[in-house]
Amino acid sequence: MRFLARGLVGLILLAITVGAVGFGVWRLVDTLSVEETRRRPPVEERSYSVNVARLEPETVVPVTVVYGQIRSWRNLEVRASSEGRLVEVSQTFRDGEAVRAGDLLLKIDPADAQSGLLDAKAALADAEAQKAEAEEAIGAAEQELEAARKQLELRRSSLDRQRQLLDRGYATMVQVEQEELSLAAIEQSLGSRLQSIITARKKIERMELNVERARITLRDAERTLEDTELRAPFAGTLDQVDATLGRRVGTNDALAVLIDPTALEASFTLSTAEFSRFLDDAGRLIKAPVKVELDLGGRAITVTGHLDRAAARVAEGDAGRQLFATLEVGEATILRPGDFVTLRVEEPTLTNVARVPAAAVNAAGEMLLLDADQRLEEHKARILRRLGDEIVLADVPFGRSYVTERLPQLGAGLKVSPRGADAGSAPEGQDGQGRRPVAESGGGAQELVALDPARREALIAKVNSRPIPDERKAEILGILKGDSVPRSLIDRLENGGRGQRG
């Protein structure tokens, strides 16, 4: 019995000891958990720092930038109009030389042309002499005709008298017949005279034709003589010169090309979508202003002009339209046909639109806006133009703040800390002191505090001195460089991680 009692007492003491040890361990673990919980701050909602700006209505004149080539619409091929030997070549008849209208370029040996001119003058004089002779001949024929008519009247009167005398018995039938024969001979002679006059008049007409033909030949000879001197019909620049003193040239031989430097235009190609921007409501091409820029290394030459016309057809394989812009240049212009230039074509004005950075909008036209609680919401705008690093948008809520750089980690519903010139004035829910409520996981709110420069520099130095991951450090530094900083972050940095919640 005594053994059993002692064993039972031992078991009771062991149970009490184990219970005491377990209670002590539980208290120790509970105490450590409470201390760790008290030391660790509550988890806050993550907030991204973003740059924002305000959507303002603007009037934008978009500019289409394309590349093209200069060409001249007024070129002249200098060709020999007659055969002969080159006896004179002007000193200005060289590649790239500028000539004025009327300047003598070349002279062909005029000996043959002068001989032809003398022959033409002699032929004209002979034709005029023959014409004068025919005119004098018709005068004599008309006088003979008039005399024959008078003789005819006299013969008729004589025939009438003989018939009267025959009726009275004073004349014979033989006399009457002789008078009738004489009258018939006079009438026949009168017909011959008439025919001679008709022939003389026709001869005069032929002589007039010969005279006119001789005059034409004379003019051709004079023109041939003039063509022995090749002169510039307009002011321009010579190109492709091929003439040597003493060379024998034939008719229509190409000797040079004369280019008018004031008749320049730029040829370029636009896509179908770009081409449609320069059409009016009736589908006609507008005379849009154009600036043409020639890059000469350290210097750029700029001239103005306007759209003139579109090509008559679309070349095989092309997908757009070829356009031509007329340029406003003078004789002293440095532009030359063949120059590769940059063209800036002004499009029709766009009104009541917004111009934002290209990074603020994705390919579908979606952008991020800030609501009254500093949370992001997505809005889809209509993209009108892409102008380099900027995009022109329509259908946007003017007056709202938007994120200027759409980062991959940003999305609708996220809490952000806006930065920028419009960060403190756009959203609703912000008080007059520049403070905004920041949502916490515990359901409370914490204000943002404006820092003076000295305090800001001290906090930045503390962050740089601590072993923090680069990504987290960059995020904290971005927050500290903002206009306002959360009080909890300031407390953690200044109190070594033990800051109290404000």
Side-chain angles (χ1 to χ4, degrees), residues 60-118:
V60 180
V61 180
V63 176
T64 298
V65 180
V66 293
Y67 301 96
Q69 195 170 23
I70 299 298
R71 51 180 288 180
S72 176
W73 54 266
R74 192 182 185 192
N75 299 331
L76 173 69
E77 287 190 351
V78 180
R79 293 180 176 270
S81 301
S82 60
E83 296 182 358
R85 183 172 52 89
L86 294 178
V87 296
E88 184 178 345
V89 178
S90 173
Q91 293 183 355
T92 60
F93 196 71
R94 293 178 292 177
D95 280 333
E97 189 71 34
V99 296
R100 295 174 297 178
D103 284 354
L104 177 64
L105 305 178
L106 299 168
K107 187 175 182 179
I108 303 172
D109 189 359
D112 295 339
Q114 289 174 349
S115 298
L117 178 60
L118 294 176

Short mmCIF file of all heavy atoms in Angstrom, two decimals, residues 60-118:
data_model
loop_
_atom_site.label_atom_id
_atom_site.label_comp_id
_atom_site.label_asym_id
_atom_site.label_seq_id
_atom_site.Cartn_x
_atom_site.Cartn_y
_atom_site.Cartn_z
N VAL A 60 -4.90 72.49 -82.56
CA VAL A 60 -3.66 71.91 -83.05
C VAL A 60 -3.65 71.94 -84.58
O VAL A 60 -4.66 71.66 -85.22
CB VAL A 60 -3.49 70.45 -82.55
CG1 VAL A 60 -2.20 69.84 -83.07
CG2 VAL A 60 -3.51 70.42 -81.02
N VAL A 61 -2.52 72.33 -85.12
CA VAL A 61 -2.30 72.27 -86.57
C VAL A 61 -1.30 71.14 -86.83
O VAL A 61 -0.09 71.34 -86.71
CB VAL A 61 -1.77 73.60 -87.13
CG1 VAL A 61 -1.57 73.49 -88.65
CG2 VAL A 61 -2.72 74.73 -86.80
N PRO A 62 -1.77 69.94 -87.13
CA PRO A 62 -0.84 68.82 -87.35
C PRO A 62 0.03 69.06 -88.57
O PRO A 62 -0.36 69.75 -89.51
CB PRO A 62 -1.77 67.61 -87.55
CG PRO A 62 -3.11 68.04 -87.04
CD PRO A 62 -3.18 69.52 -87.26
N VAL A 63 1.20 68.50 -88.54
CA VAL A 63 2.16 68.62 -89.64
C VAL A 63 2.58 67.21 -90.06
O VAL A 63 3.05 66.43 -89.22
CB VAL A 63 3.38 69.45 -89.24
CG1 VAL A 63 4.41 69.48 -90.37
CG2 VAL A 63 2.96 70.87 -88.88
N THR A 64 2.40 66.90 -91.32
CA THR A 64 2.84 65.62 -91.87
C THR A 64 4.25 65.79 -92.42
O THR A 64 4.50 66.65 -93.25
CB THR A 64 1.90 65.15 -92.98
OG1 THR A 64 0.59 64.95 -92.44
CG2 THR A 64 2.39 63.84 -93.59
N VAL A 65 5.17 64.97 -91.93
CA VAL A 65 6.57 65.03 -92.36
C VAL A 65 6.83 63.89 -93.33
O VAL A 65 6.63 62.72 -92.99
CB VAL A 65 7.52 64.95 -91.16
CG1 VAL A 65 8.98 65.02 -91.61
CG2 VAL A 65 7.23 66.07 -90.17
N VAL A 66 7.24 64.22 -94.53
CA VAL A 66 7.55 63.22 -95.56
C VAL A 66 8.86 63.62 -96.24
O VAL A 66 9.41 64.70 -96.00
CB VAL A 66 6.42 63.13 -96.61
CG1 VAL A 66 5.16 62.57 -95.99
CG2 VAL A 66 6.15 64.49 -97.23
N TYR A 67 9.33 62.73 -97.07
CA TYR A 67 10.57 62.97 -97.82
C TYR A 67 10.26 62.92 -99.31
O TYR A 67 9.45 62.11 -99.76
CB TYR A 67 11.63 61.93 -97.45
CG TYR A 67 11.98 61.93 -95.99
CD1 TYR A 67 11.37 61.03 -95.12
CD2 TYR A 67 12.87 62.85 -95.46
CE1 TYR A 67 11.66 61.04 -93.76
CE2 TYR A 67 13.17 62.87 -94.11
CZ TYR A 67 12.57 61.96 -93.27
OH TYR A 67 12.85 61.98 -91.93
N GLY A 68 10.91 63.80 -100.04
CA GLY A 68 10.64 63.87 -101.47
C GLY A 68 11.87 64.32 -102.24
O GLY A 68 12.97 64.42 -101.70
N GLN A 69 11.64 64.61 -103.52
CA GLN A 69 12.73 64.97 -104.42
C GLN A 69 12.34 66.20 -105.22
O GLN A 69 11.19 66.36 -105.62
CB GLN A 69 13.05 63.80 -105.35
CG GLN A 69 14.37 63.92 -106.07
CD GLN A 69 14.74 62.64 -106.80
OE1 GLN A 69 13.88 61.84 -107.12
NE2 GLN A 69 16.02 62.43 -107.06
N ILE A 70 13.31 67.07 -105.43
CA ILE A 70 13.09 68.30 -106.20
C ILE A 70 13.16 67.98 -107.69
O ILE A 70 14.00 67.20 -108.14
CB ILE A 70 14.14 69.36 -105.83
CG1 ILE A 70 14.02 69.72 -104.34
CG2 ILE A 70 13.94 70.62 -106.66
CD1 ILE A 70 12.71 70.30 -103.94
N ARG A 71 12.27 68.59 -108.44
CA ARG A 71 12.27 68.46 -109.90
C ARG A 71 11.85 69.79 -110.50
O ARG A 71 11.25 70.63 -109.82
CB ARG A 71 11.32 67.34 -110.36
CG ARG A 71 9.94 67.44 -109.78
CD ARG A 71 9.05 66.33 -110.27
NE ARG A 71 8.69 66.52 -111.67
CZ ARG A 71 7.90 65.69 -112.35
NH1 ARG A 71 7.45 64.60 -111.77
NH2 ARG A 71 7.60 65.93 -113.58
N SER A 72 12.18 69.99 -111.77
CA SER A 72 11.81 71.21 -112.48
C SER A 72 10.76 70.88 -113.53
O SER A 72 10.91 69.91 -114.28
CB SER A 72 13.03 71.85 -113.14
OG SER A 72 12.65 72.98 -113.91
N TRP A 73 9.69 71.67 -113.56
CA TRP A 73 8.63 71.41 -114.53
C TRP A 73 8.83 72.21 -115.82
O TRP A 73 8.01 72.12 -116.74
CB TRP A 73 7.26 71.76 -113.93
CG TRP A 73 7.13 73.14 -113.38
CD1 TRP A 73 7.30 73.53 -112.10
CD2 TRP A 73 6.79 74.33 -114.10
NE1 TRP A 73 7.11 74.87 -111.95
CE2 TRP A 73 6.78 75.40 -113.17
CE3 TRP A 73 6.49 74.60 -115.43
CZ2 TRP A 73 6.48 76.71 -113.54
CZ3 TRP A 73 6.20 75.91 -115.80
CH2 TRP A 73 6.19 76.93 -114.85
N ARG A 74 9.94 72.97 -115.91
CA ARG A 74 10.23 73.74 -117.12
C ARG A 74 11.67 73.48 -117.56
O ARG A 74 12.60 74.13 -117.11
CB ARG A 74 10.00 75.23 -116.87
CG ARG A 74 10.00 76.07 -118.16
CD ARG A 74 9.83 77.52 -117.84
NE ARG A 74 9.71 78.33 -119.05
CZ ARG A 74 9.78 79.65 -119.08
NH1 ARG A 74 9.96 80.32 -117.95
NH2 ARG A 74 9.66 80.31 -120.21
N ASN A 75 11.84 72.51 -118.45
CA ASN A 75 13.14 72.18 -119.01
C ASN A 75 13.10 72.35 -120.52
O ASN A 75 12.06 72.14 -121.15
CB ASN A 75 13.53 70.73 -118.67
CG ASN A 75 13.63 70.51 -117.17
OD1 ASN A 75 13.93 71.43 -116.42
ND2 ASN A 75 13.36 69.29 -116.73
N LEU A 76 14.22 72.72 -121.11
CA LEU A 76 14.31 72.91 -122.55
C LEU A 76 15.55 72.20 -123.06
O LEU A 76 16.66 72.42 -122.55
CB LEU A 76 14.38 74.40 -122.90
CG LEU A 76 14.66 74.71 -124.38
CD1 LEU A 76 13.45 74.32 -125.23
CD2 LEU A 76 15.00 76.18 -124.58
N GLU A 77 15.35 71.35 -124.07
CA GLU A 77 16.48 70.71 -124.74
C GLU A 77 16.99 71.65 -125.83
O GLU A 77 16.25 72.00 -126.75
CB GLU A 77 16.08 69.37 -125.35
CG GLU A 77 15.86 68.27 -124.31
CD GLU A 77 15.70 66.92 -124.97
OE1 GLU A 77 15.59 66.87 -126.22
OE2 GLU A 77 15.68 65.92 -124.25
N VAL A 78 18.23 72.06 -125.73
CA VAL A 78 18.86 72.92 -126.73
C VAL A 78 19.33 72.02 -127.87
O VAL A 78 20.26 71.22 -127.70
CB VAL A 78 20.02 73.72 -126.13
CG1 VAL A 78 20.66 74.61 -127.18
CG2 VAL A 78 19.54 74.55 -124.94
N ARG A 79 18.69 72.15 -129.04
CA ARG A 79 19.01 71.32 -130.21
C ARG A 79 19.34 72.21 -131.41
O ARG A 79 18.81 73.32 -131.53
CB ARG A 79 17.86 70.37 -130.55
CG ARG A 79 17.61 69.30 -129.49
CD ARG A 79 16.45 68.40 -129.87
NE ARG A 79 16.26 67.33 -128.91
CZ ARG A 79 16.85 66.14 -128.99
NH1 ARG A 79 17.65 65.88 -130.03
NH2 ARG A 79 16.62 65.21 -128.09
N ALA A 80 20.18 71.68 -132.29
CA ALA A 80 20.55 72.42 -133.50
C ALA A 80 19.38 72.40 -134.47
O ALA A 80 18.82 71.35 -134.78
CB ALA A 80 21.78 71.78 -134.14
N SER A 81 19.00 73.59 -134.95
CA SER A 81 17.88 73.70 -135.89
C SER A 81 18.33 73.61 -137.34
O SER A 81 17.50 73.55 -138.25
CB SER A 81 17.13 75.02 -135.65
OG SER A 81 16.65 75.08 -134.33
N SER A 82 19.62 73.68 -137.59
CA SER A 82 20.14 73.59 -138.96
C SER A 82 21.48 72.89 -138.93
O SER A 82 22.12 72.75 -137.87
CB SER A 82 20.26 74.98 -139.57
OG SER A 82 21.15 75.78 -138.80
N GLU A 83 21.92 72.46 -140.10
CA GLU A 83 23.20 71.80 -140.21
C GLU A 83 24.31 72.83 -140.38
O GLU A 83 24.09 73.93 -140.88
CB GLU A 83 23.21 70.85 -141.41
CG GLU A 83 22.22 69.71 -141.29
CD GLU A 83 22.29 68.78 -142.47
OE1 GLU A 83 23.10 69.07 -143.38
OE2 GLU A 83 21.56 67.78 -142.50
N GLY A 84 25.51 72.42 -139.95
CA GLY A 84 26.65 73.31 -140.14
C GLY A 84 27.72 73.10 -139.09
O GLY A 84 27.61 72.23 -138.20
N ARG A 85 28.73 73.92 -139.18
CA ARG A 85 29.87 73.84 -138.28
C ARG A 85 29.74 74.93 -137.22
O ARG A 85 29.34 76.05 -137.50
CB ARG A 85 31.16 74.03 -139.08
CG ARG A 85 32.44 73.91 -138.27
CD ARG A 85 33.65 73.91 -139.21
NE ARG A 85 33.57 75.06 -140.11
CZ ARG A 85 34.09 76.25 -139.84
NH1 ARG A 85 34.69 76.47 -138.66
NH2 ARG A 85 34.00 77.24 -140.71
N LEU A 86 30.06 74.57 -135.98
CA LEU A 86 30.01 75.53 -134.88
C LEU A 86 31.17 76.49 -135.02
O LEU A 86 32.34 76.10 -134.91
CB LEU A 86 30.07 74.81 -133.52
CG LEU A 86 28.87 73.92 -133.17
CD1 LEU A 86 29.09 73.25 -131.82
CD2 LEU A 86 27.58 74.71 -133.16
N VAL A 87 30.86 77.76 -135.25
CA VAL A 87 31.91 78.77 -135.43
C VAL A 87 32.04 79.66 -134.21
O VAL A 87 33.00 80.44 -134.12
CB VAL A 87 31.60 79.63 -136.67
CG1 VAL A 87 31.65 78.78 -137.93
CG2 VAL A 87 30.25 80.32 -136.54
N GLU A 88 31.09 79.54 -133.25
CA GLU A 88 31.17 80.36 -132.03
C GLU A 88 30.47 79.65 -130.90
O GLU A 88 29.33 79.17 -131.06
CB GLU A 88 30.53 81.73 -132.27
CG GLU A 88 30.68 82.67 -131.07
CD GLU A 88 30.08 84.04 -131.33
OE1 GLU A 88 29.82 84.35 -132.52
OE2 GLU A 88 29.89 84.80 -130.37
N VAL A 89 31.13 79.53 -129.76
CA VAL A 89 30.57 78.94 -128.55
C VAL A 89 30.75 79.93 -127.42
O VAL A 89 31.88 80.37 -127.14
CB VAL A 89 31.24 77.59 -128.20
CG1 VAL A 89 30.67 77.03 -126.90
CG2 VAL A 89 31.06 76.58 -129.33
N SER A 90 29.66 80.30 -126.75
CA SER A 90 29.72 81.29 -125.68
C SER A 90 30.50 80.77 -124.48
O SER A 90 30.52 79.56 -124.20
CB SER A 90 28.30 81.68 -125.25
OG SER A 90 28.33 82.52 -124.11
N GLN A 91 31.14 81.67 -123.77
CA GLN A 91 31.88 81.29 -122.56
C GLN A 91 30.94 80.81 -121.46
O GLN A 91 31.36 80.09 -120.55
CB GLN A 91 32.70 82.48 -122.05
CG GLN A 91 33.83 82.88 -122.98
CD GLN A 91 34.66 84.02 -122.40
OE1 GLN A 91 34.32 84.57 -121.35
NE2 GLN A 91 35.73 84.37 -123.09
N THR A 92 29.68 81.21 -121.52
CA THR A 92 28.72 80.78 -120.51
C THR A 92 28.07 79.45 -120.86
O THR A 92 27.25 78.95 -120.09
CB THR A 92 27.61 81.83 -120.35
OG1 THR A 92 26.94 82.01 -121.62
CG2 THR A 92 28.18 83.15 -119.90
N PHE A 93 28.45 78.86 -122.02
CA PHE A 93 27.85 77.60 -122.43
C PHE A 93 28.63 76.45 -121.78
O PHE A 93 29.42 75.74 -122.42
CB PHE A 93 27.87 77.48 -123.96
CG PHE A 93 26.94 76.40 -124.48
CD1 PHE A 93 25.57 76.56 -124.41
CD2 PHE A 93 27.44 75.24 -125.02
CE1 PHE A 93 24.72 75.58 -124.89
CE2 PHE A 93 26.61 74.25 -125.50
CZ PHE A 93 25.24 74.42 -125.43
N ARG A 94 28.37 76.29 -120.45
CA ARG A 94 29.04 75.26 -119.66
C ARG A 94 28.05 74.69 -118.65
O ARG A 94 27.07 75.33 -118.28
CB ARG A 94 30.25 75.84 -118.93
CG ARG A 94 31.38 76.29 -119.85
CD ARG A 94 32.52 76.90 -119.07
NE ARG A 94 32.14 78.17 -118.45
CZ ARG A 94 32.94 78.88 -117.67
NH1 ARG A 94 34.15 78.42 -117.38
NH2 ARG A 94 32.54 80.03 -117.17
N ASP A 95 28.35 73.47 -118.19
CA ASP A 95 27.50 72.81 -117.20
C ASP A 95 27.42 73.67 -115.94
O ASP A 95 28.46 74.11 -115.41
CB ASP A 95 28.05 71.43 -116.84
CG ASP A 95 27.69 70.39 -117.89
OD1 ASP A 95 26.67 70.57 -118.56
OD2 ASP A 95 28.45 69.41 -118.05
N GLY A 96 26.20 73.87 -115.46
CA GLY A 96 25.99 74.62 -114.23
C GLY A 96 26.05 76.11 -114.38
O GLY A 96 25.85 76.84 -113.39
N GLU A 97 26.26 76.62 -115.58
CA GLU A 97 26.36 78.06 -115.77
C GLU A 97 24.96 78.66 -115.91
O GLU A 97 24.08 78.10 -116.56
CB GLU A 97 27.17 78.36 -117.03
CG GLU A 97 27.51 79.82 -117.21
CD GLU A 97 28.54 80.32 -116.22
OE1 GLU A 97 29.43 79.52 -115.85
OE2 GLU A 97 28.44 81.48 -115.80
N ALA A 98 24.76 79.81 -115.28
CA ALA A 98 23.48 80.51 -115.37
C ALA A 98 23.51 81.47 -116.56
O ALA A 98 24.48 82.18 -116.77
CB ALA A 98 23.20 81.28 -114.08
N VAL A 99 22.45 81.46 -117.35
CA VAL A 99 22.33 82.34 -118.51
C VAL A 99 21.03 83.13 -118.38
O VAL A 99 20.09 82.72 -117.69
CB VAL A 99 22.34 81.54 -119.83
CG1 VAL A 99 23.66 80.83 -120.02
CG2 VAL A 99 21.19 80.53 -119.86
N ARG A 100 21.00 84.27 -119.07
CA ARG A 100 19.81 85.12 -119.08
C ARG A 100 19.05 84.94 -120.38
O ARG A 100 19.60 84.45 -121.38
CB ARG A 100 20.20 86.58 -118.90
CG ARG A 100 20.82 86.90 -117.55
CD ARG A 100 21.32 88.32 -117.50
NE ARG A 100 22.38 88.54 -118.48
CZ ARG A 100 22.97 89.72 -118.68
NH1 ARG A 100 22.59 90.77 -117.96
NH2 ARG A 100 23.92 89.83 -119.58
N ALA A 101 17.80 85.36 -120.37
CA ALA A 101 16.98 85.23 -121.57
C ALA A 101 17.58 86.08 -122.69
O ALA A 101 17.89 87.26 -122.50
CB ALA A 101 15.55 85.67 -121.28
N GLY A 102 17.74 85.49 -123.87
CA GLY A 102 18.28 86.20 -125.02
C GLY A 102 19.78 86.09 -125.18
O GLY A 102 20.33 86.54 -126.20
N ASP A 103 20.50 85.47 -124.22
CA ASP A 103 21.95 85.34 -124.33
C ASP A 103 22.30 84.39 -125.48
O ASP A 103 21.65 83.36 -125.69
CB ASP A 103 22.55 84.80 -123.03
CG ASP A 103 22.61 85.86 -121.96
OD1 ASP A 103 22.29 87.01 -122.26
OD2 ASP A 103 22.96 85.52 -120.81
N LEU A 104 23.35 84.74 -126.24
CA LEU A 104 23.83 83.89 -127.33
C LEU A 104 24.60 82.71 -126.74
O LEU A 104 25.54 82.88 -125.97
CB LEU A 104 24.74 84.69 -128.27
CG LEU A 104 25.37 83.90 -129.42
CD1 LEU A 104 24.29 83.39 -130.36
CD2 LEU A 104 26.38 84.77 -130.17
N LEU A 105 24.18 81.51 -127.14
CA LEU A 105 24.83 80.30 -126.65
C LEU A 105 25.80 79.72 -127.68
O LEU A 105 26.96 79.45 -127.37
CB LEU A 105 23.77 79.25 -126.27
CG LEU A 105 22.71 79.70 -125.27
CD1 LEU A 105 21.71 78.59 -125.03
CD2 LEU A 105 23.35 80.14 -123.95
N LEU A 106 25.29 79.53 -128.90
CA LEU A 106 26.07 78.91 -129.97
C LEU A 106 25.79 79.63 -131.27
O LEU A 106 24.73 80.24 -131.45
CB LEU A 106 25.72 77.43 -130.13
CG LEU A 106 25.97 76.49 -128.94
CD1 LEU A 106 25.29 75.16 -129.19
CD2 LEU A 106 27.45 76.29 -128.70
N LYS A 107 26.74 79.52 -132.23
CA LYS A 107 26.52 80.05 -133.56
C LYS A 107 27.05 79.06 -134.59
O LYS A 107 28.21 78.64 -134.52
CB LYS A 107 27.22 81.40 -133.72
CG LYS A 107 26.89 82.09 -135.05
CD LYS A 107 27.49 83.48 -135.10
CE LYS A 107 27.11 84.19 -136.40
NZ LYS A 107 27.68 85.56 -136.47
N ILE A 108 26.16 78.67 -135.51
CA ILE A 108 26.51 77.75 -136.59
C ILE A 108 26.90 78.57 -137.82
O ILE A 108 26.37 79.67 -138.04
CB ILE A 108 25.32 76.81 -136.89
CG1 ILE A 108 24.92 76.05 -135.62
CG2 ILE A 108 25.65 75.83 -138.00
CD1 ILE A 108 23.66 75.25 -135.76
N ASP A 109 27.82 78.03 -138.62
CA ASP A 109 28.29 78.73 -139.82
C ASP A 109 27.09 79.16 -140.67
O ASP A 109 26.33 78.32 -141.15
CB ASP A 109 29.20 77.80 -140.62
CG ASP A 109 29.89 78.54 -141.76
OD1 ASP A 109 29.64 79.76 -141.92
OD2 ASP A 109 30.66 77.91 -142.50
N PRO A 110 26.89 80.48 -140.89
CA PRO A 110 25.68 80.95 -141.58
C PRO A 110 25.83 81.04 -143.10
O PRO A 110 24.91 81.55 -143.76
CB PRO A 110 25.48 82.33 -140.98
CG PRO A 110 26.87 82.82 -140.71
CD PRO A 110 27.68 81.61 -140.35
N ALA A 111 26.93 80.55 -143.70
CA ALA A 111 27.15 80.72 -145.14
C ALA A 111 26.03 80.09 -145.95
O ALA A 111 25.46 80.72 -146.86
CB ALA A 111 28.51 80.15 -145.53
N ASP A 112 25.70 78.85 -145.67
CA ASP A 112 24.64 78.17 -146.42
C ASP A 112 23.30 78.85 -146.23
O ASP A 112 22.52 79.01 -147.18
CB ASP A 112 24.56 76.71 -146.00
CG ASP A 112 25.82 75.92 -146.36
OD1 ASP A 112 26.54 76.38 -147.26
OD2 ASP A 112 26.05 74.87 -145.73
N ALA A 113 23.04 79.29 -145.02
CA ALA A 113 21.76 79.95 -144.75
C ALA A 113 21.68 81.29 -145.48
O ALA A 113 20.62 81.67 -145.99
CB ALA A 113 21.58 80.15 -143.25
N GLN A 114 22.78 82.00 -145.56
CA GLN A 114 22.78 83.28 -146.28
C GLN A 114 22.58 83.06 -147.78
O GLN A 114 21.86 83.83 -148.43
CB GLN A 114 24.10 84.01 -146.02
CG GLN A 114 24.22 84.55 -144.59
CD GLN A 114 25.57 85.14 -144.31
OE1 GLN A 114 26.51 84.96 -145.11
NE2 GLN A 114 25.71 85.83 -143.17
N SER A 115 23.18 82.02 -148.34
CA SER A 115 22.96 81.71 -149.77
C SER A 115 21.50 81.36 -150.02
O SER A 115 20.89 81.82 -151.00
CB SER A 115 23.85 80.54 -150.19
OG SER A 115 25.22 80.89 -150.06
N GLY A 116 20.93 80.58 -149.15
CA GLY A 116 19.52 80.25 -149.30
C GLY A 116 18.64 81.47 -149.20
O GLY A 116 17.62 81.58 -149.90
N LEU A 117 19.02 82.43 -148.35
CA LEU A 117 18.24 83.65 -148.21
C LEU A 117 18.31 84.48 -149.49
O LEU A 117 17.29 85.02 -149.95
CB LEU A 117 18.76 84.46 -147.01
CG LEU A 117 18.07 85.79 -146.75
CD1 LEU A 117 16.58 85.59 -146.48
CD2 LEU A 117 18.73 86.53 -145.60
N LEU A 118 19.49 84.57 -150.10
CA LEU A 118 19.61 85.32 -151.35
C LEU A 118 18.80 84.67 -152.46
O LEU A 118 18.14 85.37 -153.25
CB LEU A 118 21.09 85.41 -151.75
CG LEU A 118 21.98 86.24 -150.81
CD1 LEU A 118 23.44 86.17 -151.27
CD2 LEU A 118 21.51 87.69 -150.77
#
